[in-house]
Amino acid sequence: MKNDIAKILISEEQLKKRIREMGAEIARDYAGKTPTMVCILKGAVMFYTDLLRNIPIPLTMDFMAVSSYGNKTKSSGEVEIRKDLSTSIEGKDVIIVEDIVDSGFTLSYLTRMLASRGAASIRLCTLLDKPARRAPGITLRSDYSGFVVGDEFVVGYGLDYAELYRNLPYIGVLKPEVYSCE
């Protein structure tokens, strides 16, 4: 797998440091509350578990699986819910935890959908933000953002290409020849 990586963009140490800081920010903002942390599977699971270990306040957990990519490198713009929440979020403070904001289609859709279910508040927590790829008309902003990245195809630490590379302990840039055959 390492041979497919052009460069390491964000090291394991950088990830750990920033995630500790993000956990502290969330704990400060939600002091006295019990937020519901919603992990967007599969990509955010590593970030989610490390983040939750760094939030020293009561919280609840839930999971959703959504897709707008399939095995492609570009979003189709159509969001498919593959696994929905297992509990009601009515009246709850919800934090959606996602690996990356790219086109913004998925998080825009999820934010609207979860708001319609009566959440008291909805905030976004994303490990990576790729503003150069935002779709026209999408003005999504993450409330808690780890790193801003350029328009490169990134993998590792949960992010994948065709379900591979998720288990890398860092964020790397995938060599174009690996995915350019689409």
Side-chain angles (χ1 to χ4, degrees), residues 57 89 137 140 142 174 179:
I57 62 170
I89 58 165
L140 197 63
S142 185
L174 195 61
Y179 64 89

Side-chain angles (χ1 to χ4, degrees), residues 11 103 125:
S11 72
S103 68
C125 177

Side-chain angles (χ1 to χ4, degrees), residues 124-163:
L124 304 177
C125 177
T126 57
L127 180 62
L128 304 178
D129 186 7
K130 192 186 286 189
R133 295 280 304 255
R134 206 72 85 242
I138 304 260
T139 57
L140 197 63
R141 187 187 69 78
S142 185
D143 300 282
Y144 306 99
S145 183
F147 302 90
V148 174
V149 295
D151 192 10
E152 299 173 292
F153 197 88
V154 292
V155 295
Y157 198 67
L159 291 103
D160 76 303
Y161 171 66
E163 295 296 327

Side-chain angles (χ1 to χ4, degrees), residues 1-2 4-5 12 15 39-50 64-72 82 97-100 127 153-172 174:
M1 286 192 310
K2 289 181 182 178
D4 295 342
I5 304 300
E12 187 173 1
L15 288 166
C39 177
I40 306 304
L41 298 171
K42 299 176 190 170
V45 74
M46 292 186 182
F47 170 48
Y48 182 77
T49 55
D50 287 344
M64 293 185 80
V66 300
S67 177
S68 66
Y69 284 82
N71 283 337
K72 306 286 186 197
R82 294 184 175 173
V97 181
E98 178 65 295
D99 55 359
I100 188 167
L127 180 62
F153 197 88
V154 292
V155 295
Y157 198 67
L159 291 103
D160 76 303
Y161 171 66
E163 295 296 327
L164 299 173
Y165 309 102
R166 291 187 193 277
N167 57 323
L168 294 173
Y170 53 80
I171 305 290
L174 195 61

Side-chain angles (χ1 to χ4, degrees), residues 57-107:
I57 62 170
L59 54 84
T60 61
M61 300 168 55
D62 211 335
F63 300 86
M64 293 185 80
V66 300
S67 177
S68 66
Y69 284 82
N71 283 337
K72 306 286 186 197
T73 60
K74 292 184 180 172
S75 174
S76 67
E78 298 291 321
V79 179
E80 174 189 357
I81 304 292
R82 294 184 175 173
K83 183 222 175 293
D84 208 339
L85 297 173
S86 57
T87 58
S88 171
I89 58 165
E90 188 171 345
K92 295 182 179 178
D93 294 306
V94 175
I95 300 175
I96 301 171
V97 181
E98 178 65 295
D99 55 359
I100 188 167
V101 181
D102 195 318
S103 68
F105 285 125
T106 301
L107 281 177

